[in-house]
Amino acid sequence: DTLGGMAENGEAKDGQTTEAGEEEKCLVCHSAAISYVAMPCRCHLACRKCAMKLATGGRCKGCSEFFVELKRLKAAQT
């Protein structure tokens, strides 16, 4: 069971898809797949390249809350 893309154990899961079955795109560059989640808001936020630029924190592009950390999404288990 997941909550906002997070597993019950608090770990984020990679490979999240939209309701249309498409892979979520980075909220910064809008081209690459999301691989980092903002903390503490848990919004799926950025690809690896954009995450490196945002590593020091800022406002989340998903919810406009301040985030202080980006956490790498875990690969989805099949």
Side-chain angles (χ1 to χ4, degrees), residues 7-36:
E8 285 181 342
N9 65 1
E11 294 295 328
K13 296 195 313 183
D14 200 1
Q16 297 296 313
T17 57
T18 64
E19 288 181 21
E22 301 170 352
E23 193 168 38
E24 289 183 314
K25 297 295 182 185
C26 174
L27 297 181
V28 180
C29 70
H30 305 285
S31 61
I34 290 176
S35 56
Y36 284 84

Side-chain angles (χ1 to χ4, degrees), residues 7-75:
E8 285 181 342
N9 65 1
E11 294 295 328
K13 296 195 313 183
D14 200 1
Q16 297 296 313
T17 57
T18 64
E19 288 181 21
E22 301 170 352
E23 193 168 38
E24 289 183 314
K25 297 295 182 185
C26 174
L27 297 181
V28 180
C29 70
H30 305 285
S31 61
I34 290 176
S35 56
Y36 284 84
V37 64
M39 298 303 280
C41 65
R42 296 184 178 185
C43 289
H44 289 200
L45 182 63
C47 65
R48 184 189 63 80
K49 186 176 179 179
C50 292
M52 296 304 118
K53 296 175 185 175
L54 299 171
T56 58
R59 280 205 182 264
C60 175
K61 299 252 185 206
C63 68
S64 298
E65 294 293 323
F66 283 105
F67 68 90
V68 295
E69 174 184 17
L70 291 174
K71 192 169 196 167
R72 176 108 168 98
L73 293 169
K74 301 272 182 185

